Amino acid sequence: MDAVHNGGRGGTRSRRTAWTRAGLAVTGLGTIAAVALLAPGGGGAVAGAAEQHGAGHGDRFARQLERDTEAVVAAGATGVTAESVDAAGTHRTARAGVDDLERQGEVPGNAYYRIGSDTKTFVSVVTLQLVQEGKLALEDTVEELLPGVVTGNGNDGGRITVTNLLRHTSGLANYTDILFLSDPDALTPENYRETRFATSTAEEKVALALTEAPGWLPDANDPQGETRWSYSNTNYILAGMIIEKVTGHSWEHEVHERIIEPLGLRHTLTPGSGAYVPQPTATAYMQFPGREELTDTSIMADAGADGAIISTTADMNTFLRALLGGELLEPATLETMKETVPAEEFAPGAGYGLGIVWRPVAGADPGRCSDGGLWFHGGTSFGTVSETGVSGDGRYSAAAAGFTLWLDDQEKAEAQFQAGYDLVDRAVCG
């Protein structure tokens, strides 16, 4: 069973947009029918708890973060944890809901969680570092780097560059769409339990994608200028394969050596085929299509360069601030990363760059978000939603994890996505 991972929310585009977010099919967060399950006062449930380091307690940003975590729970998450960091280095944390519907304990403030497609930003950074080092070029084609891998059914690796992969302008089919849409029984609690320890190789994932024709082939004369956009996890599976081909090491090795270790991300890891999230964490729940109940989906193996990393809100803030603050890429390379194409299905007004996305924020404080918006990616996996955001200069950032994923009710899905976006928007852009 492959993880569900992606990021973004598509406003009122409902079903198709929500599928884009999950990277496979209809997905979203929604309100639990029995809200009383999450009501504060039951067992160890937390209505909203906030902490702050580096400034006086109880400032308006800390109170707002607390209210926003409560809103995410009210919209449907069983539990949520969040952290924001400002230009003065003040860390504010908040959490709400419960760590488990049966235990009714507190959500750990330092909880580990699957970041899903936030992984793509890490992989893009490594790829761009290799470009800086002259080990590959953004104009290199998949056929040049991985001869014979992308072919058949109208697919042509000679028409797809590294840029097309990182920006999702390749036209390649999304292997997770095929995986879950080809079999109506694939997205069921029963199949999840049967296959949650199963693994597949990157080559197998790509081969699955190639069973379908591409949505388009980039212009042979100017593939770099392609602006047609469609989210495909297949792109980043190929990016991981390219990293291994160029360096002789796995993408996980390179992410660790180039990002995790230098930044001191002591709570960020690539689990390989491991199926468990380290403690402390909270139970991840998912509502499968056609089912009303929530299923514990905490155990999941086999995520690749498109969505494997496990982290914490603290480490995600450190990573985002380092990236946009210029610690990981040279200035010119960072600017290239931030060159976007329209990606309205990802979020209203969004532009997708090389593994990072920009979206506008209404009423953004120009002292925080001078370009009127923030940079982010976000990601989903079975039962977990990762939300992130950072200002263009890296001075303000926020990260949050919600431990529930709803795949059926799109009205509820939209409410949860909006609550998560609102939390990040206010924490980053004021």
Side-chain angles (χ1 to χ4, degrees):
M1 173 72 73
D2 294 82
V4 186
H5 35 74
N6 194 345
R9 179 192 57 82
T12 59
R13 290 170 179 75
S14 185
R15 192 163 293 270
R16 175 58 199 148
T17 301
W19 284 46
T20 300
R21 164 125 195 165
L24 57 87
V26 180
T27 184
L29 295 172
T31 306
I32 293 179
V35 177
L37 286 174
L38 304 183
V46 180
E51 298 178 21
Q52 180 172 316
H53 310 285
H57 290 285
D59 76 349
R60 69 182 181 91
F61 292 108
R63 294 192 298 272
Q64 185 63 60
L65 189 63
E66 181 178 349
R67 289 192 294 269
D68 286 338
T69 57
E70 292 171 353
V72 175
V73 169
T78 54
V80 62
T81 183
E83 176 180 291
S84 66
V85 187
D86 66 18
T90 302
H91 292 249
R92 299 173 177 89
T93 61
R95 51 208 165 107
V98 294
D99 68 337
D100 182 272
L101 290 176
E102 293 184 5
R103 292 191 298 269
Q104 295 279 301
E106 294 184 358
V107 177
N110 59 341
Y112 287 91
Y113 58 95
R114 303 182 193 278
I115 69 170
S117 278
D118 272 317
T119 297
K120 291 179 172 68
T121 310
F122 286 78
V123 172
S124 181
V125 168
V126 169
T127 306
L128 290 169
Q129 288 181 345
L130 294 172
V131 170
Q132 289 179 167
E133 295 163 12
K135 295 178 180 177
L136 75 160
L138 288 173
E139 298 79 14
D140 289 345
T141 67
V142 174
E143 179 61 24
E144 291 169 334
L145 295 165
L146 301 171
V149 171
V150 175
T151 188
N153 290 317
N155 293 283
D156 183 356
R159 295 274 293 273
I160 298 170
T161 68
V162 174
T163 291
N164 297 139
L165 295 179
L166 299 183
R167 195 176 280 148
H168 293 298
T169 56
S170 70
L172 288 169
N174 187 356
Y175 80 90
T176 51
D177 278 347
I178 301 170
L179 178 70
F180 292 109
L181 291 175
S182 61
D183 181 1
D185 295 323
L187 275 176
T188 62
E190 295 77 17
N191 189 59
Y192 158 73
R193 294 188 184 99
E194 178 69 23
T195 61
R196 57 187 170 171
F197 291 101
T199 61
S200 60
T201 66
E203 290 77 10
E204 289 170 336
K205 293 180 176 74
V206 172
L208 180 59
L210 299 179
T211 61
E212 288 196 0
W216 64 82
L217 289 174
D219 187 340
N221 295 319
D222 183 24
Q224 297 295 88
E226 181 61 65
T227 60
R228 286 172 291 182
W229 182 90
S230 183
Y231 198 96
S232 176
N233 289 305
T234 310
N235 291 320
Y236 276 77
I237 295 296
L238 286 164
M241 293 171 66
I242 289 170
I243 290 171
E244 183 169 356
K245 179 67 175 292
V246 170
T247 67
H249 302 128
S250 69
W251 70 268
E252 294 100 328
H253 176 103
E254 294 298 321
V255 165
H256 184 274
E257 295 301 304
R258 293 169 176 272
I259 302 174
I260 294 175
E261 185 70 23
L263 294 182
L265 305 182
R266 300 181 184 275
H267 303 287
T268 299
L269 62 145
T270 53
S273 61
Y276 297 94
V277 176
Q279 295 293 328
T281 188
T283 301
Y285 293 101
M286 191 162 85
Q287 179 209 37
F288 285 87
R291 306 294 179 97
E292 293 185 3
E293 74 279 3
L294 291 173
T295 299
D296 180 344
T297 50
S298 301
I299 297 172
M300 171 62 64
D302 195 36
D306 52 339
I309 291 176
I310 293 170
S311 191
T312 63
T313 55
D315 274 10
M316 287 303 294
N317 276 301
T318 299
F319 168 61
L320 291 169
R321 292 164 68 82
L323 174 57
L324 273 296
E327 295 180 38
L328 295 173
L329 297 173
E330 296 171 0
T333 306
L334 181 57
E335 288 307 305
T336 298
M337 187 183 200
K338 294 163 71 174
E339 293 175 2
T340 66
V341 296
E344 284 284 335
E345 278 193 281
F346 204 89
Y352 200 102
L354 302 182
I356 196 166
V357 196
W358 182 87
R359 73 168 183 258
V361 174
D365 181 346
R368 286 172 164 254
C369 297
S370 59
D371 57 357
L374 56 76
W375 293 91
F376 76 111
H377 198 287
T380 58
S381 57
F382 269 40
T384 309
V385 176
S386 173
E387 298 285 10
T388 57
V390 61
S391 60
D393 57 10
R395 297 189 306 149
Y396 296 87
S397 68
F403 292 93
T404 316
L405 181 66
W406 296 75
L407 294 184
D408 207 36
D409 189 321
Q410 288 306 289
E411 184 176 346
K412 294 177 180 179
E414 177 64 21
Q416 179 98 30
F417 286 144
Q418 190 62 57
Y421 270 36
D422 289 346
L423 182 155
V424 172
D425 287 354
R426 283 190 279 262
V428 177
C429 294

